Amino acid sequence: MFIEPVFGKKFFGREEVLGTLQKRVTALKGGYRQNLALAGPMLTGKSSILRHFLAGIKDPEVLPIYVELAGDDFPAFSRRMMATLLFQYLKSAGIKSSSDLEALKSAAMPTIPDTVHCVEHILRALKARKVDLAYEALLGLTSVFKSETGRNCIVILDEFHNISNFKLKKPYQTFGKYIMVQKSTMYIVSSSQKTLLKEILSKKLSLLFGNFEVIEVGGFDNQTARAFLSDKMKDMSASDGIADYLIQLCQGSPFYLEILAARFAELAHKRHDRYDAKECLLDALSSVLYESNGIFNQYFTNNINFFTDKRSRRSYIQVLVSLAKGASAMKDIQVQLGRSDRELGDKLRRLQHMDLIHNSGQFYRVSDKLFEYWLRNVYSIKSESVVDDMDIKYVEFKSLMEKDYCEYTEFRAKRIDAVAKGLFGMFNNQKIRIGMYDRKLPRFESIEKRDLEGGVYEVAGRSDGKFWVCRIKEADMADEQDILSFWALKPGDGKSKIVRKIFIPLKGIEHNAFLLAKEQNVWVWDTRQFNEMLRLFGKFEIVL
């Protein structure tokens, strides 16, 4: 691990996810059990969320059991789960004990003998190498504990997908069978392989899919990310432009932001009166992304070495690099590769399954924006340069960094309606996935924008006498009146037709207004969806 999970005073944000977890605990005590699944990329803070949540459980009616599936074999996992249950029980009862399983059994025997006997049964099965028998008994352990103590258990399995690495006959089917009958045990599972986790829930645990509430964990929202940067930099000032640049480049990732904030502050303190914010930014990025011992350089190098099969690694990396350089459709990738690749479709599907890229209609993008940046500006320079001179490569890298930052500064200075107009101008009959549906984006003959009252802007694109109209509200939260006035909009010439209305509420939208928009077939793009569109077309994302 590059960074340990944080909890307690060091924990930051995530109120919505923690609120959902706490609500489910309250419901469990009331007799309603809802299992949860946390899905998200590596280093987005899932383990930190779970450990912080775990540390906050002080309720005597529930017993939390956290086990990380960190590549151990099944016997090691079993012993850790049993030891954790006994340790947590003894801790809640005020009984001191060590972390040794035998010592925990001895300490717990006087008060929960049935549970300890079940533990001993599991250990005998493991010793006899009857792993499937041990697995079933292990899953039934919380039921024995409930019968003996009356306490509900919350079992947290971090990196749950690793269960498939255990040499068990039917790991998921058996798991599902026990969950069906264990109404007093709530399971919280997590995985950094989002696509794989959803596949497990929808296929291998298909009967239970509706019994798992999936929570997607990504980077911080803009407001939380700004507060996080401010906290990490302490008294070190960085302009809003630099903070926004880091937020959109890192997609709010707490891991990325923490490393970059610390490096930026360190450089700024060293330079004192020679402090230049832009130079500190570029040097901070260089030290972690470009240098051979840079933490991000090592992490991303490990990514491409670990996630791609050794025999076909080069061809997969070439696809990733072509995407990082701006190719977004299959035909564009073929052009970048300089040859026809009959297996390109299979490679793209494989990369999607590994969560390295994502797909929207005919568009493909590298999922992690900073990883994309590294592929384009570090990996490709180091691997493709015809002159093997480290100084020349570094100068080229720093030039590309400065160019990217300057272009972002220009983008950030634009009004939001100009950004939307620029996006509309890139539509060219492409297919894109919006929500659950694939939509075709027309090629506009003309695009106009105008200011309305109350901090509202309008952008209209015309194609063959038909209009797409987009309204953007920047001032405050959108309400029903905003939707009603938009819905009543008609073309001024009486001949044209508005075929699509899009509303972008940058400060959010009231629930009733959202329902009204849905009823009137008005597309509502929140800031996240708008940014997804911008990124698919290779644009910077807005940070509010």
Side-chain angles (χ1 to χ4, degrees), residues 48-153:
S48 293
I49 291 170
L50 292 173
R51 287 182 183 267
H52 185 75
F53 165 69
L54 185 72
I57 297 178
K58 308 295 182 184
D59 196 317
E61 294 182 39
V62 297
L63 188 80
I65 305 165
Y66 174 93
V67 186
E68 182 180 3
L69 282 72
D72 294 331
D73 58 15
F74 175 69
F77 162 75
S78 300
R79 290 186 178 91
R80 194 179 318 118
M81 183 168 173
M82 292 184 290
T84 302
L85 185 151
L86 296 176
F87 179 84
Q88 289 289 78
Y89 164 72
L90 292 168
K91 180 181 177 183
S92 67
I95 302 172
K96 291 185 178 181
S97 182
S98 70
S99 59
D100 177 72
L101 183 55
E102 290 301 317
L104 290 167
K105 282 167 48 186
S106 299
M109 179 62 84
T111 49
I112 48 170
D114 292 345
T115 302
V116 174
H117 288 147
C118 184
V119 168
E120 291 174 337
H121 169 65
I122 295 166
L123 290 171
R124 286 194 296 271
L126 289 172
K127 188 175 181 179
R129 297 185 179 180
K130 297 178 179 179
V131 291
D132 290 289
L133 178 64
Y135 183 47
E136 293 204 31
L138 182 69
L139 291 173
L141 181 62
T142 57
S143 295
V144 175
F145 180 78
K146 167 70 175 180
S147 298
E148 194 165 35
T149 65
R151 297 175 68 178
N152 299 311
C153 288

Side-chain angles (χ1 to χ4, degrees), residues 28 39 50 68 70 98 107 130 162 238 258 303 423 439 489 498 501 507:
L28 177 67
L50 292 173
E68 182 180 3
S98 70
K130 297 178 179 179
N162 284 325
E258 180 163 12
N303 263 6
L423 178 63
R439 308 288 189 183
L489 179 67
I498 298 176
K501 293 178 180 178
K507 297 291 178 64

Side-chain angles (χ1 to χ4, degrees), residues 39 356 497:
L356 289 175
K497 182 181 179 181

Side-chain angles (χ1 to χ4, degrees), residues 182-461:
Q182 287 179 324
K183 302 300 181 183
S184 59
T185 300
M186 182 173 84
Y187 283 89
I188 302 174
V189 302
S190 82
S191 176
S192 56
Q193 296 190 32
K194 182 173 66 173
T195 301
L196 179 57
L197 177 61
K198 290 183 177 180
E199 186 178 285
I200 290 168
L201 295 177
S202 63
K203 294 180 180 179
K204 297 182 180 180
L205 293 175
S206 57
L207 295 176
L208 292 168
F209 184 64
N211 197 24
F212 270 92
E213 178 182 359
V214 180
I215 301 174
E216 294 204 15
V217 179
F220 289 141
D221 61 72
N222 295 339
Q223 186 176 357
T224 305
R226 275 206 189 93
F228 183 80
L229 280 175
S230 177
D231 179 71
K232 296 302 176 182
M233 291 183 178
K234 301 301 181 186
D235 58 342
M236 191 61 254
S237 63
S239 70
D240 289 340
I242 284 178
D244 289 354
Y245 180 74
L246 290 176
I247 290 167
Q248 60 85 34
L249 179 62
C250 299
Q251 295 174 303
S253 164
F255 169 62
Y256 294 160
L257 290 175
E258 180 163 12
I259 298 298
L260 281 167
R263 187 62 181 139
F264 181 93
E266 179 186 352
L267 289 169
H269 278 298
K270 281 182 179 178
R271 295 175 185 183
H272 296 296
D273 55 337
R274 296 183 295 108
Y275 167 72
D276 179 278
K278 188 179 81 170
E279 283 302 310
C280 282
L281 170 68
L282 298 179
D283 288 344
L285 286 167
S286 298
S287 66
V288 296
L289 277 170
Y290 186 87
E291 293 177 8
S292 58
N293 63 345
I295 188 168
F296 295 162
N297 188 34
Q298 292 180 346
Y299 174 56
F300 293 142
T301 301
N302 289 340
N303 263 6
I304 59 176
N305 288 336
F306 175 76
F307 283 116
T308 53
D309 180 74
K310 188 175 182 179
R311 290 173 297 177
S312 55
R313 182 177 299 156
R314 179 176 173 80
S315 63
Y316 277 99
I317 293 173
Q318 287 175 332
V319 174
L320 286 169
V321 170
S322 68
L323 287 168
K325 288 183 174 181
S328 58
M330 288 186 68
K331 62 178 182 180
D332 301 323
I333 299 170
Q334 299 277 22
V335 171
Q336 283 269 13
L337 293 175
R339 67 182 189 282
S340 178
D341 186 347
R342 294 179 181 179
E343 297 179 353
L344 180 58
D346 290 336
K347 289 174 182 176
L348 289 169
R349 283 187 287 274
R350 175 64 177 151
L351 290 169
Q352 276 183 261
H353 192 264
M354 293 188 291
D355 295 320
L356 289 175
I357 68 173
H358 67 273
N359 167 247
S360 177
Q362 70 186 63
F363 286 87
Y364 293 90
R365 297 295 300 192
V366 177
S367 298
D368 185 330
K369 192 173 182 180
L370 191 62
F371 180 44
E372 177 185 74
Y373 184 94
W374 176 83
L375 285 167
R376 182 175 64 250
N377 297 327
V378 179
Y379 181 84
S380 64
I381 288 176
K382 290 185 175 182
S383 62
E384 297 172 6
S385 178
V386 294
V387 178
D388 190 14
D389 186 293
M390 295 306 295
D391 290 337
I392 292 176
K393 292 178 183 180
Y394 179 73
V395 169
E396 185 180 353
F397 166 68
K398 198 160 184 182
S399 175
L400 288 171
M401 273 199 310
E402 186 167 14
K403 180 174 179 287
D404 190 72
Y405 174 70
C406 291
E407 287 176 353
Y408 173 74
T409 302
E410 292 176 8
F411 170 84
R412 186 174 179 270
K414 293 179 181 178
R415 281 196 347 180
I416 193 66
D417 55 335
V419 173
K421 182 180 179 181
L423 178 63
F424 270 40
M426 299 190 75
F427 293 176
N428 191 22
N429 298 314
Q430 305 100 328
K431 286 185 179 179
I432 193 169
R433 179 161 286 263
I434 299 175
M436 298 294 292
Y437 305 99
D438 284 336
R439 308 288 189 183
K440 190 172 183 179
L441 304 175
R443 183 179 184 278
F444 296 119
E445 299 159 4
S446 62
I447 305 170
E448 297 179 356
K449 60 186 181 71
R450 63 178 181 140
D451 293 0
L452 304 179
E453 295 180 353
V456 178
Y457 310 107
E458 188 172 280
V459 177

